Amino acid sequence: MFALDKRDRFFDYSTNMNYRGFIKDYKEITDLVHKYNVPILGQLSFFYYNDGLEHKIEPNDISKEGIRRLQADIIMAAKKFSFAGFDGIQLNCGNNFYLARFINPFFNERDDEYGGNTENRCRMICEVIKFIKANFNLHVNYKVNPRDVRKGGMTPEETIEICKLFKAAGADSIQVTARTISFANGEIGSHPFIDFADKLIEEVDIPVILGGTLRDMKTMNNILNSSKVEFMSMSKPFVAQKDFLSQWKTDREGVSICQSCNNCYSKKTSLCFKYE
């Protein structure tokens, strides 16, 4: 997870990409990953944006010049990822990060070509995706929320339309994520967004990755065998138990010891509170 600004809300929990040795240091990491024939993407996630005048400028208030600066900063991050050997970039347009707020009608009430209807709210990101695909050999993935659980926020139907717009702009894959409260108000079943993921897979012909609350092999196998989902994403379980996939491969079943307490996400050490 990489942020754009050292003053960002989550910068202390993120990875700094704005120093001279970034390309050299991360080329060592990407080379190591590639030795195992595994692709690696850099996730760009930022909660606040500094447009040069205001540190916490919100989507309604940022000027068109500020939008151009934001686009340039994202493109520069993609360029750095490319030079450092990353295979792609993940744009975090989900959870409650800045880009998620920009495409959300609850936050973006602009009256120009970057606000209002769905296409306008997605325009800024679509322009970035098109530029990256035209100029870098990078896979472009993005995270998106199925629903917002705010009155006047994004609905599952609009999220699917947003995914279609990003796909048309050149995006290569999608990761379904959510705010914590959205998971609590999701569908009933093995995963709160499995039905949404199935509908999305029917509507777009790029890979859809299911993220969130995946902790045991039984649930994951059930999803693979009973839905259209082929890809899954996990994060916190690796912090609690770095070798759990190897253990699962040996045992053929198992449950991660991760209890989703979020301490690894909310503390600057990024360590498991219970098991480290």
Side-chain angles (χ1 to χ4, degrees), residues 42-61:
Q43 180 192 149
L44 189 66
S45 296
F46 50 98
F47 196 86
Y48 301 129
Y49 184 67
N50 184 344
D51 68 346
L53 297 174
E54 185 177 337
H55 172 47
K56 299 179 180 179
I57 191 77
E58 287 296 328
N60 279 344
D61 304 316

Side-chain angles (χ1 to χ4, degrees), residues 7-268:
R7 293 165 292 184
D8 193 66
R9 175 177 174 180
F10 297 109
F11 185 83
D12 289 334
Y13 324 143
S14 305
T15 309
N16 185 6
M17 64 185 307
N18 298 314
Y19 67 99
R20 287 186 177 182
F22 170 80
I23 293 173
K24 176 181 177 294
D25 288 350
Y26 279 87
K27 189 66 170 63
E28 294 181 9
I29 292 176
T30 58
D31 283 348
L32 176 63
V33 171
H34 290 151
K35 286 183 179 180
Y36 294 91
N37 297 317
V38 176
I40 177 171
L41 280 65
Q43 180 192 149
L44 189 66
S45 296
F46 50 98
F47 196 86
Y48 301 129
Y49 184 67
N50 184 344
D51 68 346
L53 297 174
E54 185 177 337
H55 172 47
K56 299 179 180 179
I57 191 77
E58 287 296 328
N60 279 344
D61 304 316
I62 189 170
S63 66
K64 288 185 180 179
E65 292 76 14
I67 288 175
R68 293 291 174 263
R69 174 173 175 165
L70 171 55
Q71 291 175 315
D73 284 344
I74 296 173
I75 290 166
M76 182 57 69
K79 187 173 184 178
K80 288 181 179 180
F81 286 148
S82 178
F83 284 171
F86 286 89
D87 299 287
I89 181 172
Q90 182 182 71
L91 302 174
N92 194 343
C93 305
N95 308 117
N96 208 31
F97 286 90
Y98 192 87
L99 297 182
R101 302 199 301 278
F102 206 99
I103 64 176
N104 192 329
F106 182 86
F107 294 99
N108 185 343
E109 300 176 318
R110 300 173 66 95
D111 58 5
D112 61 7
E113 67 268 33
Y114 291 101
N117 62 42
T118 304
E119 183 176 1
N120 283 354
R121 282 182 274 114
C122 293
R123 188 183 307 278
M124 187 268 290
I125 298 173
C126 285
E127 290 173 346
V128 168
I129 293 173
K130 289 177 181 178
F131 188 94
I132 293 174
K133 294 303 296 182
N135 291 276
F136 307 114
N137 184 26
L138 288 174
H139 181 108
V140 175
N141 171 277
Y142 62 92
K143 299 176 74 173
V144 67
N145 301 329
R147 62 169 62 84
D148 186 52
V149 198
R150 291 186 182 96
K151 186 177 181 180
M154 285 166 52
T155 64
E157 292 74 22
E158 185 178 31
T159 296
I160 289 176
E161 293 306 309
I162 288 172
C163 291
K164 290 180 179 179
L165 289 169
F166 287 169
K167 190 270 177 182
D172 299 291
S173 62
I174 307 163
Q175 180 177 332
V176 176
T177 185
R179 297 166 58 225
T180 303
I181 189 173
S182 300
F183 278 112
N185 289 274
E187 303 150 9
I188 298 174
S190 59
H191 190 281
F193 298 125
I194 191 66
D195 289 344
F196 171 83
D198 274 347
K199 292 176 184 176
L200 180 59
I201 290 168
E202 291 178 354
E203 296 288 339
V204 296
D205 58 353
I206 56 177
V208 174
I209 304 161
L210 183 66
T213 65
L214 297 167
R215 297 290 183 268
D216 66 278
M217 281 193 71
K218 182 178 179 180
T219 296
M220 295 167 69
N221 282 327
N222 285 340
I223 290 173
L224 289 173
N225 293 325
S226 63
S227 74
K228 298 180 177 68
V229 173
E230 297 181 89
F231 304 94
M232 300 184 191
S233 171
M234 289 171 282
S235 175
K236 299 181 186 75
F238 291 108
V239 181
Q241 186 181 358
K242 298 174 179 61
D243 64 345
F244 83 96
L245 283 184
S246 299
Q247 179 186 338
W248 287 12
K249 186 176 181 180
T250 301
D251 298 344
R252 299 295 180 184
E253 61 182 21
V255 178
S256 170
I257 61 176
C258 175
Q259 298 183 1
S260 300
C261 69
N262 287 332
N263 185 80
C264 64
Y265 180 75
S266 61
K267 302 297 182 184
K268 297 179 182 179

